[in-house]
């Protein structure tokens, strides 16, 4: 029983001390520091413009069509789709 009473008093004292420190910190105005002033002076916006590179032409030579035999009426195959970088 005595142990619980000691813990109760310790808890009450801790609560009072924390409330006192919180109250003091609440009423005191923070003093401006030199580091804070420098940091506010350095705060400037930075604009960044992203420019995409122009599309690069394919470096591989175009494929040559095989010679068709004379007299055949075959239509050329459709072009192959390529993906640009």
């Amino acid at each position: 029983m005595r142990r619980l009473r000691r813990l109760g008093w310790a808890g009450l004292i801790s609560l009072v001390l924390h409330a006192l420190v919180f109250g003091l910190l609440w009423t005191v105005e923070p003093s401006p520091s030199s580091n804070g002033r420098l940091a506010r002076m350095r705060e400037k916006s930075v604009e960044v413009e992203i420019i995409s590179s122009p599309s690069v032409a394919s470096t591989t030579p175009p494929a040559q069509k095989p010679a068709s035999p004379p007299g055949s009426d075959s239509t050329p195959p459709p072009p192959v789709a390529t993906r640009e970088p």
Side-chain angles (χ1 to χ4, degrees), residues 7-82:
L7 286 175
W9 280 109
L12 183 63
I13 291 170
S14 173
L15 183 66
V16 168
L17 288 175
H18 278 87
L20 182 66
V21 170
F22 180 73
L24 288 173
L25 289 175
W26 188 269
T27 58
V28 175
E29 291 292 323
S31 61
S33 65
S34 62
N35 290 340
R37 272 186 250 132
L38 288 176
R40 272 183 252 127
M41 290 172 64
R42 290 182 191 157
E43 289 178 6
K44 293 183 179 179
S45 62
V46 177
E47 294 183 17
V48 177
E49 185 176 343
I50 299 174
I51 301 174
S52 61
S53 62
S55 60
V56 179
S58 175
T59 57
T60 58
Q64 295 179 356
K65 295 180 186 178
S68 59
S72 68
D73 292 332
S74 65
T75 59
V80 178
T82 59

